[in-house]
Amino acid sequence: MDKVKKVVLAYSGGLDTSIIIPWLKENYDNCEVIAVSADVGQGSELEGLEEKAKKTGASKLYIEDLKKPFVEEYIWPTLKAGAVYENSYLLGTSFARPIIAKRIVEIAKAEGADAICHGCTGKGNDQVRFELAIKAFAPDMKIIAPWREWNIKSRDEEIDYAEAHNIPLKITRETSYSKDKNLWHLSHEGLDLEDPVNEPKYDEILELGVSPEKAPDKPTYVTISFEKGNPVAIDGEKLGAVEIVEKLNKLGGENGIGIVDLVENRLVGMKSRGVYETPGGAILYHAHNKLEELCLDRDTYHYKQQVALRFAELVYFGQWFSPLREALSAFVDSTQQTVTGDVKLKLYKGNIIDAGVTSPYSLYDEEIATFGEEEVYDQADSAGFINLFGLPTKVLAKKKGF
C-alpha cells in the first residue's frame, strides 16, 4: 500500500462506509480518517453519525448541509433540461454524487489530506460519478476504493466484518435492501428485486408514499408556478427550492405518485433492477413539460427533446462537470426565458392528470386553432403547402413507376 497519513472518507454511516473506517486504519498504517457526511436530504439517516464515526475510528466528522445548492444547482438544471434516463429514471442518485464529491474535495484540500475514499462497489455507477468529480477538482488526489481492494465479496461478509469489529448496524441480513435516499428520491435494490420476475413488495418497501391502491379515493389538485423554468410557488404560495420539493414529495407520496420499477443499463455494462420513489420529482417533470408545450415553438421543443436524452446520459455517466454538460445547460437556459406560468394538476391513485395551464408567454392562439368560424386562417392555403411539402414524395413515386 502507498504511504497515506490522512484520508477523507465519504461517509453515510451505512454498511459499506461503517466498516471502511477500521479497514482503512488496518490497511493504511493506522492513518487518520476524517469522515464527511453530506446532507442532501437523508433526514433521520444522519442521526447519531458523529458518535458512530468516532467510535469506529474517525478523528472527526463533518456534516455538510448541501440541500439548497443540491436543488438549485443540480436538480433544477436537470429538470429544466427534461433529462430522464431510459424513459423512467429521474436521476436521483446520479446528480447527488457530483455535489457531494466536490465538497469532499474542498474539505480534503483544507485538511491537507493525502487521499479521498469512497464506499462505492466495483459494479456500480457511483464509483465513476465520485471519481470523475474528484478528478475535476483534484486531478492528482489519490482515490481509495476499498471494494476494488479488499477481500470482502458480499454484503454477508461485510456484516461478518462489522460484527467482528463490534460496529452497530441498522440492517439485518434478511431485510437489507440496498438504498439511497436524498431530498429528491429513494432507491431500492437487492434481495428479491434482483430477479425481474418478482413483483416488488410495495407495502413493505415504500417509504416516501403509498402504492396507488392505497391512495385516497378523492383526487388532490395542486398548482405549480414557474419562472423561467424554475418552480417558485405551490398553490400561490412562494416557497424556497427545498420546501417545494418537500411539499410535493408529501402530496405525491400520499397519492401514490412517482413509483418506478426499472431494469436499467448501468454505465459499467450490466443491467440492474431497482425500484425508485420520486413523488415530487414526477410531479415537477410533468408540470414543467406541460408548460413548455404551451410556451416553446415547435422546433425548439423538438430539438430540446433530443438534448434531454444526451443531458440525461451525461448526468447518469457522472459527467456533470464536463464542458458538454455545461454547454447544454447554457442552451437549456436560453430556452427557458419564456417558460413562466401556472400548471394545475390532478393527482389520483398514481396518475398525474392535466387540469389547466396558463402563461403570459403562451404561443397557443385560440382564434387560429378553433374548429369554429374564424377569419384568421385561410384553409385554402394548405393545398399549396401540401403540394410543395409532398413534392419529393411525388417525384419518388413517379420514379418507381406509380
Side-chain angles (χ1 to χ4, degrees), residues 137-351:
F137 297 100
D140 296 323
M141 180 71 71
K142 178 178 176 59
I143 298 172
I144 300 173
W147 271 104
R148 302 202 296 257
E149 296 183 19
W150 61 22
N151 295 320
I152 297 173
K153 303 298 183 184
S154 67
R155 290 178 68 80
D156 276 344
E157 290 186 11
E158 284 188 287
I159 294 173
D160 290 339
Y161 185 96
E163 291 174 348
H165 289 74
N166 297 313
I167 299 171
L169 300 174
K170 295 181 179 180
I171 63 172
T172 68
R173 297 176 192 271
E174 294 75 25
T175 61
S176 56
Y177 285 105
S178 177
K179 299 181 182 183
D180 178 73
K181 182 180 181 181
N182 60 44
L183 189 65
W184 187 245
H185 90 154
L186 174 61
S187 64
H188 310 264
E189 294 179 318
L191 299 179
D192 55 302
L193 295 178
E194 291 187 346
D195 188 344
V197 77
N198 294 326
E199 180 181 3
K201 301 172 183 176
Y202 289 124
D203 291 342
E204 296 181 17
I205 67 175
L206 294 180
E207 297 180 27
L208 301 186
V210 298
S211 63
E213 295 91 337
K214 292 195 173 182
D217 294 329
K218 183 179 179 180
T220 298
Y221 284 88
V222 61
T223 298
I224 303 168
S225 301
F226 292 83
E227 292 180 3
K228 294 186 176 182
N230 292 318
V232 294
I234 298 175
D235 294 330
E237 179 185 6
K238 289 276 188 177
L239 296 170
V242 172
E243 289 73 28
I244 285 174
V245 176
E246 289 176 336
K247 185 165 184 176
L248 291 178
N249 272 343
K250 183 175 184 299
L251 289 175
E254 291 170 347
N255 287 277
I257 303 295
I259 302 167
V260 171
D261 178 2
L262 175 65
V263 176
E264 70 197 59
N265 288 293
R266 286 183 178 173
L267 174 59
V268 294
M270 70 185 70
K271 289 184 181 289
S272 65
R273 194 268 189 107
V275 169
Y276 296 104
E277 300 180 64
T278 322
I283 295 170
L284 285 169
Y285 264 76
H286 188 108
H288 181 263
N289 179 68
K290 192 65 184 176
L291 191 57
E292 285 193 328
E293 286 181 8
L294 196 69
C295 299
L296 295 186
D297 66 278
R298 180 188 64 196
D299 287 350
T300 300
Y301 185 60
H302 287 182
Y303 191 76
K304 187 171 175 292
Q305 290 175 328
Q306 298 178 48
V307 169
L309 293 174
R310 188 69 181 104
F311 197 106
E313 285 184 337
L314 290 170
V315 178
Y316 189 86
F317 295 165
Q319 296 171 288
W320 182 269
F321 298 113
S322 67
L324 179 55
R325 200 284 306 167
E326 293 172 356
L328 293 184
S329 280
F331 163 77
V332 168
D333 285 343
S334 73
T335 70
Q336 300 298 292
Q337 299 307 302
T338 60
V339 183
T340 295
D342 299 327
V343 182
K344 186 178 182 181
L345 300 172
K346 179 166 65 174
L347 313 179
Y348 183 66
K349 291 190 176 295
N351 296 289

Side-chain angles (χ1 to χ4, degrees), residues 346-361:
K346 179 166 65 174
L347 313 179
Y348 183 66
K349 291 190 176 295
N351 296 289
I352 305 173
I353 304 166
D354 299 322
V357 56
T358 61
S359 170
Y361 302 102

